[in-house]
Amino acid sequence: MYSRVLLFALIVLAVLGLLVSGCAPKNPVLTPPLTKPLPVEEGWDGSSAQVMPEPDEAEKERPGDTSWGNQIASPFGACQVYWSRSTAEEEAVCHNLALDAKVKWIRQDFVWQHIEPTRGTFNFSGYDEMVEDALANGFNILGICAPGGDHQYANPWSSGDVSPHTEEQCQDYANFVSALVQRYKGKVMYWEIWNEPDIDEFWRPQPDAVNYTNLLKHAYIAAKEADPSVKIVGLGGVDPGKTEYIRTAFQNGALDYMDVISLHPYGDSPIFETSFQYQNLDVIKNLMSEYDSALPIWATETSYTTYSQGLSEERHAELLVRVYLSLLSQGVETIFWYVLADDPKCAPAEDDSAPHPGLLDSNLLPRKAYYAYKNMAVLLEGYRFSKEYDIGEDGKALLFERSADEQILALWTYGEEIDERGNIISRCEKSVGLTIEGNVRDVIDIYGQSILSTDASGPVLTIKIDDSPVFIKGSFDVVE
């Protein structure tokens, strides 16, 4: 018995020592487009705006299109899956690759200036088609009720060059939200109120938590009057490090006017686990508890980029997996990677100032992060975070379970030495001894490549880990 355990441990150590985490599989063969061409720009300027006909009653409800009870079944989302390209063919490539990667949630702008170019005149050209296509492809939609367009902080006909601050201006926005909810009743069930109101690019003349909360209240009331079952996503993706902004919003009643809290936990450190934004999630949850709130938290944007932060593709992929696993362990319910595909206007690698956060590059070719995302989404389908084990300083051990007999243990370190661009100088290696009761069926790297492919059982597993996560899959208990 003990010789079998020893042999098993030696096999694991030997094979893991040969792991080269940068070896992603080859690019996939693209399937024929699943989507029809979308009129991306038709009717979006005010001069041609017109009142669009309402969908017929059968189209309004369509109970079979999305399963309301199952919409939170997956935490895996991505931003800008639609309308990131100008041709139907390129759009179809984006959609197909997102589907292949098991993206279940998409976050899309519903631009106020485009839809309501003048007060009371609505034009839903393009949006109707996008919603129908997304639902047909099985995506769940988080709609952003965004000012967008040339003014990402206001609709000019309502509040000019400043964000809504009067009662009339807040009501203008609430009327827009109501129109969206009515138009897409039974189809888009989650609506996010504004985008990043905590930065002056999106809220002018300067961020104001009191004004934003007033806008949120107006929008929430209007949305619930239009459809009581709709869910309002509040805070608009505030930086979780901005404690005082969040505290002020809570003090002014924001928690009573949302169903989900939206945060944008972009790490301010190349090591996400030590970033202030990640560590401050505990502070935010404590603030919520002061108001007896247990609202779910969503990360409606998060990412790292390859070139502007100097990260290699391998490092980019490793951090993506660590971001998702870390946020899930903090109880974050749904996580949207920003973005699916890089902006085609951003230059390739020679422009070091341009952001390149996408799972796909500007030519729509999958990066290593794409394969890491896909593997994680497939591997964790149906699993929920269960418990974190203490494996010492600079180490993570997170248990996910799908049933009493299905466990996945994710392991990695976060004490790596990095250069000024965030890339690895030396990996943080750690030997971890785990007391396992049950069977370990597989050990998998971030790309889905099996490191151990044999059934094994035994009381002790010693495994060498580093800053690239590995997944231990089987039916087991970890004895502390």
Side-chain angles (χ1 to χ4, degrees):
M1 175 67 179
Y2 288 104
S3 61
R4 181 184 178 187
V5 172
L6 179 59
L7 177 61
F8 168 64
L10 289 173
I11 291 172
V12 173
L13 280 170
V15 179
L16 283 178
L18 297 175
L19 171 62
V20 180
S21 59
C23 48
K26 295 180 180 179
N27 293 349
V29 177
L30 300 182
T31 57
L34 299 177
T35 56
K36 56 191 176 188
L38 297 180
V40 176
E41 297 186 8
E42 179 183 339
W44 275 13
D45 65 301
S47 61
S48 62
Q50 55 184 315
V51 177
M52 300 293 289
E54 287 290 326
D56 60 35
E57 290 303 314
E59 285 294 303
K60 282 185 178 180
E61 297 301 328
R62 299 204 323 173
D65 278 352
T66 57
S67 175
W68 176 239
N70 293 329
Q71 281 203 11
I72 310 299
S74 172
F76 294 100
C79 299
Q80 298 180 9
V81 171
Y82 281 76
W83 294 340
S84 68
R85 292 299 183 272
S86 59
T87 70
E89 292 76 14
E90 289 180 316
E91 280 282 295
V93 171
C94 290
H95 307 162
N96 290 339
L97 286 171
L99 289 167
D100 189 57
K102 308 303 179 185
V103 172
K104 298 298 185 183
W105 282 91
I106 63 173
R107 183 176 184 253
Q108 294 291 145
D109 287 332
F110 287 73
V111 179
W112 189 9
Q113 289 182 60
H114 295 161
I115 293 173
E116 191 180 8
T118 60
R119 182 180 279 111
T121 301
F122 296 93
N123 182 347
F124 295 94
S125 289
Y127 293 95
D128 287 347
E129 292 87 348
M130 181 270 287
V131 168
E132 294 300 321
D133 195 83
L135 295 180
N137 279 324
F139 293 121
N140 298 306
I141 303 168
L142 169 61
I144 316 171
C145 306
D150 297 330
H151 297 72
Q152 299 193 63
Y153 49 84
N155 193 331
W157 63 255
S158 177
S159 59
D161 283 334
V162 297
S163 300
H165 59 282
T166 69
E167 291 299 307
E168 181 182 8
Q169 292 163 4
C170 289
Q171 191 57 49
D172 285 338
Y173 178 76
N175 293 340
F176 164 63
V177 172
S178 177
L180 288 176
V181 172
Q182 292 180 62
R183 182 77 175 187
Y184 301 112
K185 185 177 181 180
K187 300 176 182 180
V188 181
M189 300 302 298
Y190 283 78
W191 294 99
E192 188 169 5
I193 304 305
W194 218 262
N195 178 67
E196 296 183 347
D198 57 318
I199 61 176
D200 55 16
E201 180 181 355
F202 299 108
W203 196 276
R204 293 190 180 179
Q206 61 187 14
D208 188 320
V210 175
N211 279 350
Y212 172 76
T213 301
N214 191 37
L215 182 79
L216 175 65
K217 291 178 180 179
H218 280 76
Y220 179 92
I221 292 170
K224 294 292 185 176
E225 287 177 350
D227 180 4
S229 69
V230 80
K231 302 298 181 183
I232 294 301
V233 180
L235 290 189
V238 168
D239 181 339
K242 295 184 177 178
T243 308
E244 288 310 309
Y245 186 100
I246 297 170
R247 187 193 309 274
T248 300
F250 289 178
Q251 289 172 342
N252 282 270
L255 288 167
D256 295 327
Y257 294 93
M258 65 176 90
D259 302 294
V260 177
I261 294 175
S262 167
L263 302 174
H264 286 180
Y266 288 97
D268 63 354
S269 163
I271 301 178
F272 182 72
E273 297 84 353
T274 63
S275 69
F276 180 67
Q277 281 77 5
Y278 173 66
Q279 295 186 343
N280 212 50
L281 288 173
D282 282 329
V283 175
I284 294 172
K285 290 190 288 187
N286 288 336
L287 276 176
M288 293 169 60
S289 67
E290 292 178 13
Y291 295 88
D292 296 323
S293 174
L295 291 178
I297 297 174
W298 287 16
T300 59
E301 285 184 23
T302 187
S303 75
Y304 279 89
T305 68
T306 51
Y307 299 121
S308 67
Q309 289 179 258
L311 299 178
S312 68
E313 282 207 19
E314 180 180 357
R315 177 73 168 160
H316 186 221
E318 291 169 354
L319 284 172
L320 178 147
V321 175
R322 286 163 52 172
V323 165
Y324 266 82
L325 295 175
S326 297
L327 291 175
L328 290 172
S329 74
Q330 278 279 12
V332 177
E333 192 174 78
T334 307
I335 305 163
F336 295 77
W337 189 258
Y338 186 88
V339 288
L340 176 69
D342 284 348
D343 189 330
K345 296 188 292 293
C346 288
E350 60 266 19
D351 183 358
D352 200 50
S353 65
H356 295 77
L359 303 178
L360 313 177
D361 67 16
S362 57
N363 294 315
L364 303 184
L365 296 176
R367 288 199 173 101
K368 290 184 178 182
Y370 173 88
Y371 298 108
Y373 181 106
K374 176 181 177 179
N375 173 60
M376 182 171 50
V378 171
L379 188 64
L380 293 180
E381 184 173 5
Y383 283 79
R384 293 291 180 268
F385 172 71
S386 175
K387 187 174 183 179
E388 179 169 2
Y389 295 97
D390 183 2
I391 58 171
E393 186 178 3
D394 298 338
K396 285 278 189 182
L398 306 179
L399 182 68
F400 296 83
E401 296 186 289
R402 186 160 61 185
S403 69
D405 298 321
E406 297 176 290
Q407 286 76 35
I408 291 175
L409 185 65
L411 294 156
W412 75 95
T413 64
Y414 56 92
E416 61 267 33
E417 183 182 358
I418 56 176
D419 62 22
E420 69 279 1
R421 298 171 68 84
N423 288 308
I424 299 291
I425 295 176
S426 64
R427 293 189 178 273
C428 175
E429 297 181 344
K430 178 192 290 281
S431 290
V432 178
L434 302 170
T435 301
I436 300 288
E437 291 183 352
N439 296 321
V440 173
R441 289 192 291 270
D442 215 346
V443 181
I444 303 168
D445 72 7
I446 64 171
Y447 301 113
Q449 296 182 354
S450 179
I451 303 163
L452 177 69
S453 299
T454 181
D455 287 335
S457 62
V460 178
L461 171 63
T462 300
I463 186 168
K464 186 178 181 180
I465 61 173
D466 60 24
D467 41 87
S468 186
V470 296
F471 301 92
I472 299 176
K473 186 175 183 179
S475 177
F476 57 81
D477 290 319
V478 179
V479 182
E480 296 183 87

